[in-house]
Amino acid sequence: MPSTPLSRRSFLALSAMLTWAFTTRASTSIPVGLELYSVRETLKKDPEAALRAVAQMGYEGVEFYAPYFDWTEPQTKQIRKLLDDLGMRCFSSHNDESYLRPQSIDRARDMNLILGSKYVVLASAGQKTSLTEWRSVADTLNSAAEKLKPAGLKAGYHNHQLEFTPIEGQRPIEILAKQTKPSVMLQLDVGTCLEAGSDPAAWIRSSPGRIRSIHCKDWSPDAGKGYTVLFGEGAADWKNIFAAAEGAGGVEYYLVEQEGSRFSELETARRCLQAFREKHGG
C-alpha cells in the first residue's frame, strides 16, 4: 500500500513527540546514587546491611567516603561482590587530601579499581586563606589525575562554602576550574554553594563539561533549618539545576547527600530519593 504523505501539522506533532521521547529518555537515564556519609552511623555498625537497605530503596549506586581507605583488600573485594550482587555501582569515592599524595595514591587507585569506581574525589582542601594555596590544590589534583589516568580513573574535587567565598576578589572555585586539567571533575555540592551565596545553575553553565556529578543536598536560609531540610524542602531551584546539569554540565550521575534530618538516616535517604524522583522524573 503506498504511503500517505504527512500533513505539516502531523509532521510537527510527530517531531515534537520524538523530541520529547528522546529528551525524556536521555534525562532519566542518568543514574542516582547515595553519598554514604548520609547513612554514616548505619554504615559503621553494619556496612553490608546498610548497602542492602540502600539498594532496596532503589538507589542505583553509591559514593564511599574517607573511612573506606582503612579497609583491607579482602574487605574491599567483599564489598564489591555485594555491590555486584545488589546490582549497584560505586560511582566514586571521597578522599582526604593525603590519599592523593604520592605516598598514598597507589593504594587509593587500587582500592577504587576493586570497587569499580571511576572518580577519586578530593572531599575537601581544608582551610585555605590565599589564592596561592588554592593554586597548590589545583597542582595536587593535576598530579593525581596524571597518576590515575593509566588505570582509567579520574580525579575530582568536591566543594564546600569556602570555594565559593571570594578571596582577593576571586572565588577559589574559579581558580580550580581554570588551573586543573579538563579531565578533573568539579563535583558540585548544591547546598554549600547556595549557603555561600552563589547560584548553582549559573556555575554549572559557566563550566561546561566539568560538573560530571552533583551532590543533591538542599539548604534553607530559615533559622534552625539549614541542612536539616530534605531534598526539595530548601532554597535550591532543582528544575533549573537539572536543566543546566544535563544541558551544559555533562552530568554523569547524581548523588543524594544528607547531613541529618528530623528522620532516621535510612528514612531520610528513602524520602530524599522519593522527592528526587518526583522533581527529576525517572
Side-chain angles (χ1 to χ4, degrees), residues 11-78:
F11 175 79
L12 291 175
L14 179 60
S15 296
M17 288 176 63
L18 290 173
T19 300
W20 177 87
F22 175 79
T23 55
T24 299
R25 182 169 61 251
S27 173
T28 57
S29 67
I30 298 170
V32 56
L34 182 70
E35 168 34 78
L36 289 170
Y37 182 76
S38 307
V39 292
R40 51 198 174 277
E41 296 304 324
T42 309
L43 195 71
K44 285 179 189 175
K45 293 174 185 175
D46 190 335
E48 295 195 7
L51 289 172
R52 291 183 190 280
V54 168
Q56 190 172 27
M57 293 175 198
Y59 282 100
E60 298 163 84
V62 295
E63 179 176 73
F64 289 102
Y65 69 107
Y68 88 95
F69 199 75
D70 294 328
W71 295 343
T72 64
E73 184 174 318
Q75 283 177 307
T76 309
K77 289 180 176 178
Q78 179 60 31

Side-chain angles (χ1 to χ4, degrees), residues 27 29-35 60-64 89-94 112 116-121 154-158 185-188 210-216 242 245-246 249-256 276 280:
S27 173
S29 67
I30 298 170
V32 56
L34 182 70
E35 168 34 78
E60 298 163 84
V62 295
E63 179 176 73
F64 289 102
R89 293 167 53 199
C90 170
F91 297 128
S92 47
S93 65
H94 262 204
N112 277 268
S117 173
K118 180 177 180 180
Y119 291 100
V120 181
V121 181
K154 296 179 183 295
Y157 186 82
H158 171 265
M185 172 179 69
L186 301 175
Q187 183 183 68
L188 174 62
R210 299 295 300 276
I211 318 297
R212 296 191 284 274
S213 75
I214 291 179
H215 273 202
C216 296
F242 290 146
E246 294 167 30
V251 68
E252 297 174 10
Y253 59 99
Y254 292 109
L255 290 164
V256 167
F276 176 94
H280 181 268

